[in-house]
Amino acid sequence: MDFVNVIKSRDGSKIQQILEEFITQNAKSFTFQSMDTCSIQTEVWNSLFELLKDEEFSSCHSHCLQMLKILSRDQQHLDKIVTDSFINLLVEKANLSLQKSTNLPEQFVGILEAQKCIFNLVFSHLKSRTLVSETSIAEAILLRLSVEKSSNIPHDVLLFDLKILFLLTALCSDCRPTLRYSLHGIKHLTKYLEQCCTVHGLDHLDGNTAELCCECLKIIFNLLLSNEKSIDLPNEDYDDLQLQRDLMKIIRQFLLANSNALAKKEELKSHAINLLTSMSFESYEDLIPACANSEDCFQGCDITALVVLLEFLEERLGKPIRVLQEELLPVLSVLIQFSRTNRIARKFIRSRVLPPLRDVMHRPEEGDTIRSKLCRLMTSSSTQVEFLVAEFLFVLCKENVSRLIKYTGYGNAAGLLAHRGLMMGHPPSHVSAYSSDSEDSGTEEYKQVEHSINPVTGSYEPQRPNPLENMSEEQKEYEAVKLVNMIDQLQRKGIIQPARVGEDGKPRAIEHVMELQKD
């Protein structure tokens, strides 16, 4: 092939020219007709790696790496082409060997191109991913982040360091325990986040630094997914709860940052909330630290972070289902666990979401209050959204069926109650896991019309004339039989499936409509 022959000629100018031509012509290509066989591609890759090893052609190395980055898009023959020596050379060129990672070169162009090659291979090729994970690249990245002069490293280089680390922790589950426990990955990344906040000032983080912080939060999320230590460590060497508490202080700062000068503010909050879903519930207490009397104090705790979480929740309640699943589920999960494990948090959240009932003339799902928006989602087409919203409200009601029905109506709550086997309420033996302090939701407005509230709809309904009042017994029987026949027809056509509540409190399908007469 001409390309290989040009490289073998060792003519620097011709090599540079053919590399530039290939890069220009194939910048957006994913397959290469001129290299359609494994033998040709292998020969080209070997030629490029020989060039990379030869310092005499160092001026061509950046273009060699760019060409490799393009070639790596075609995965047809990569299993036979990529070897551990190829991967080790790329790691070396990215300055990510343990010996080089803390030494900052004058030029970073070749380093960035090598990083992009590694990123592409880890992202799309299983064998390459495995080979990269077996190198010391993860440790080298952590070392490079901890260098005192890391601020002198170009943003793109740091960004790709973190992107590579994110892919390894997301796609290589075997990497997580080592990176989390042996290499103290969470500790290193937390220190880097602290450094970013200290050097730049949280309210004045530029877009580049905020982007790096987001990547760090994503990596820590992946590391926290590794719950079991697959390696032996002395107990004093790893205090997981203390690490998470240190991290929680930074998360709280991200949540409270409210300056318009802060770039990517909402993105930072979103990633911080995602991270909360994988953190220990014991560390949640650091989100609402003790405080003296102030506007932000509730029963001796600073609840500013809870206010932010509730605002974040409400801003997303009216968005399309796809967005709801991505952005609403994490914040709901956090609020559920916080409410379930912390009495003060639950009481404050309940005061905002389910305040004492005053408007009983409208159905719970009608209106623009946060309660109304949540009640509408209790019948969402997304099962995940429907379930978590109902679970959230149920926990705020201290998992009391009567109280949930009072706030949402039995119709909206039926899905959750059926799932939990509570369609007939709690069994007599039920013992609440929550404190017994009184949280009376009754108001004068509610008590005045309580006898006229329809528990199914959860709203006031005026008394209506009894349609059976002027009917004879024969007419009543006729209407009853007519209704049974209509239900039977709908059942036979598969339009509805009548059911009764079983002994376990869950709906059980019936075989014939006459079974509805039992009990």
Side-chain angles (χ1 to χ4, degrees):
M1 183 184 176
D2 290 342
F3 179 82
V4 176
N5 292 332
V6 169
I7 292 179
K8 287 180 178 179
S9 72
R10 298 184 65 80
D11 185 328
S13 60
K14 289 184 178 179
I15 291 173
Q16 185 80 3
Q17 182 182 351
I18 198 170
L19 286 171
E20 289 177 354
E21 287 176 359
F22 180 89
I23 292 167
T24 304
Q25 293 170 6
N26 297 278
K28 297 183 179 179
S29 301
F30 285 83
T31 55
F32 313 97
Q33 293 181 354
S34 59
M35 306 179 192
D36 57 348
T37 65
C38 182
S39 58
I40 294 176
Q41 284 203 19
T42 302
E43 196 172 5
V44 171
W45 277 70
N46 286 333
S47 300
L48 289 169
F49 273 97
E50 289 302 319
L51 273 179
L52 286 172
K53 291 177 185 177
D54 196 335
E55 289 301 318
E56 183 182 341
F57 296 96
S58 58
S59 60
C60 299
H61 286 181
S62 178
H63 286 87
C64 285
L65 290 165
Q66 285 186 59
M67 184 169 173
L68 283 171
K69 177 183 68 178
I70 294 171
L71 289 174
S72 66
R73 298 171 188 164
D74 185 355
Q75 301 172 40
Q76 187 176 0
H77 306 297
L78 282 185
D79 278 348
K80 296 180 180 178
I81 294 172
V82 175
T83 63
D84 55 350
S85 59
F86 283 2
I87 294 298
N88 288 331
L89 183 57
L90 285 176
V91 170
E92 186 82 10
K93 290 298 176 183
N95 232 49
L96 285 173
S97 62
L98 286 178
Q99 295 77 20
K100 286 187 174 183
S101 59
T102 55
N103 298 325
L104 305 184
E106 294 182 4
Q107 299 292 328
F108 286 88
V109 178
I111 289 177
L112 184 58
E113 292 303 327
Q115 286 177 300
K116 290 178 180 178
C117 284
I118 295 170
F119 179 87
N120 280 4
L121 289 168
V122 171
F123 179 71
S124 58
H125 186 230
L126 178 59
K127 180 183 176 183
S128 298
R129 187 183 307 150
T130 304
L131 291 174
V132 170
S133 69
E134 291 171 353
T135 69
S136 56
I137 190 171
E139 184 177 359
I141 289 173
L142 293 177
L143 285 174
R144 186 142 79 186
L145 286 176
S146 63
V147 173
E148 288 185 9
K149 296 181 180 178
S150 62
S151 57
N152 295 335
I153 302 175
H155 165 71
D156 286 343
V157 172
L158 286 174
L159 180 62
F160 270 94
D161 274 352
L162 293 171
K163 283 182 175 292
I164 291 169
L165 202 55
F166 170 73
L167 285 184
L168 287 173
T169 55
L171 303 176
C172 301
S173 57
D174 292 342
C175 289
R176 294 178 203 146
T178 302
L179 189 53
R180 178 177 179 179
Y181 299 109
S182 292
L183 301 180
H184 301 282
I186 295 177
K187 183 178 180 180
H188 283 290
L189 292 168
T190 302
K191 281 188 175 180
Y192 182 73
L193 288 171
E194 287 176 348
Q195 178 185 326
C196 289
C197 295
T198 303
V199 172
H200 299 273
L202 184 59
D203 285 337
H204 295 88
L205 284 184
D206 58 85
N208 286 345
T209 307
E211 188 175 20
L212 295 176
C213 290
C214 288
E215 290 298 324
C216 284
L217 294 173
K218 288 159 59 179
I219 295 166
I220 296 172
F221 175 87
N222 289 342
L223 292 179
L224 287 173
L225 295 179
S226 174
N227 291 321
E228 295 183 5
K229 300 179 186 179
S230 59
I231 47 180
D232 294 327
L233 288 171
N235 292 333
E236 66 273 11
D237 195 36
Y238 194 87
D239 187 346
D240 190 70
L241 182 57
Q242 186 57 50
L243 278 177
Q244 293 196 37
R245 284 187 161 162
D246 293 339
L247 179 60
M248 188 65 79
K249 294 172 185 175
I250 298 175
I251 291 177
R252 187 171 185 273
Q253 290 183 58
F254 286 146
L255 290 176
L256 301 189
N258 201 32
S259 171
N260 292 328
L262 173 59
K264 298 180 179 290
K265 178 172 63 177
E266 289 304 309
E267 191 175 341
L268 266 174
K269 287 182 181 178
S270 182
H271 286 302
I273 290 170
N274 288 344
L275 180 52
L276 285 174
T277 63
S278 63
M279 293 183 68
S280 167
F281 303 143
E282 291 89 343
S283 64
Y284 275 34
E285 292 183 5
D286 293 288
L287 268 184
I288 52 171
C291 69
N293 291 331
S294 70
E295 292 181 2
D296 300 322
C297 196
F298 180 84
Q299 295 191 357
C301 292
D302 185 339
I303 41 75
T304 318
L306 288 180
V307 174
V308 173
L309 290 173
L310 288 172
E311 288 174 349
F312 188 91
L313 169 71
E314 190 167 9
E315 286 169 5
R316 281 147 184 81
L317 287 178
K319 293 192 175 183
I321 289 297
R322 181 184 61 81
V323 179
L324 282 178
Q325 291 178 321
E326 291 177 4
E327 298 185 7
L328 186 65
L329 298 184
V331 69
L332 273 175
S333 298
V334 171
L335 290 170
I336 288 170
Q337 294 303 336
F338 216 160
S339 300
R340 185 171 273 143
T341 56
N342 189 290
R343 182 182 62 85
I344 293 174
R346 185 184 70 251
K347 291 186 74 172
F348 175 75
I349 295 169
R350 183 171 182 268
S351 71
R352 290 295 187 93
V353 178
L354 299 177
L357 285 171
R358 286 187 167 81
D359 180 9
V360 290
M361 298 299 169
H362 297 90
R363 294 191 176 194
E365 64 270 21
E366 295 176 351
D368 293 322
T369 64
I370 188 169
R371 166 184 164 236
S372 302
K373 294 174 182 177
L374 288 168
C375 284
R376 286 198 287 273
L377 290 175
M378 292 179 81
T379 53
S380 167
S381 59
S382 167
T383 306
Q384 286 181 301
V385 171
E386 173 195 359
F387 177 78
L388 272 188
V389 167
E391 187 76 8
F392 176 47
L393 295 175
F394 195 40
V395 170
L396 291 185
C397 293
K398 298 203 289 191
E399 301 191 25
N400 182 293
V401 174
S402 299
R403 186 175 291 166
L404 178 68
I405 293 172
K406 178 178 178 180
Y407 273 103
T408 68
Y410 189 90
N412 290 326
L416 174 80
L417 300 179
H419 177 77
R420 283 192 166 229
L422 297 172
M423 296 196 77
M424 299 298 288
H426 288 293
S429 59
H430 172 73
V431 177
S432 175
Y434 296 88
S435 59
S436 58
D437 55 329
S438 175
E439 293 182 9
D440 186 21
S441 60
T443 61
E444 288 301 320
E445 295 91 335
Y446 180 83
K447 291 176 180 177
Q448 286 176 5
V449 294
E450 185 175 3
H451 61 284
S452 298
I453 291 177
N454 184 336
V456 175
T457 63
S459 63
Y460 170 80
E461 288 187 5
Q463 288 188 350
R464 298 174 182 174
N466 185 354
L468 304 178
E469 190 172 351
N470 297 319
M471 287 187 184
S472 64
E473 292 301 317
E474 291 78 7
Q475 285 177 306
K476 291 177 184 179
E477 186 175 349
Y478 171 78
E479 292 295 336
V481 172
K482 182 179 176 182
L483 180 60
V484 168
N485 289 335
M486 291 169 66
I487 294 174
D488 190 48
Q489 287 180 17
L490 290 173
Q491 181 184 11
R492 291 176 185 277
K493 292 177 180 178
I495 298 173
I496 64 170
Q497 178 61 68
R500 301 177 73 246
V501 179
E503 293 181 1
D504 58 357
K506 296 182 179 181
R508 289 286 178 265
I510 61 173
E511 295 182 4
H512 192 275
V513 71
M514 295 305 293
E515 290 183 48
L516 292 174
Q517 286 188 320
K518 289 183 180 179
D519 303 326

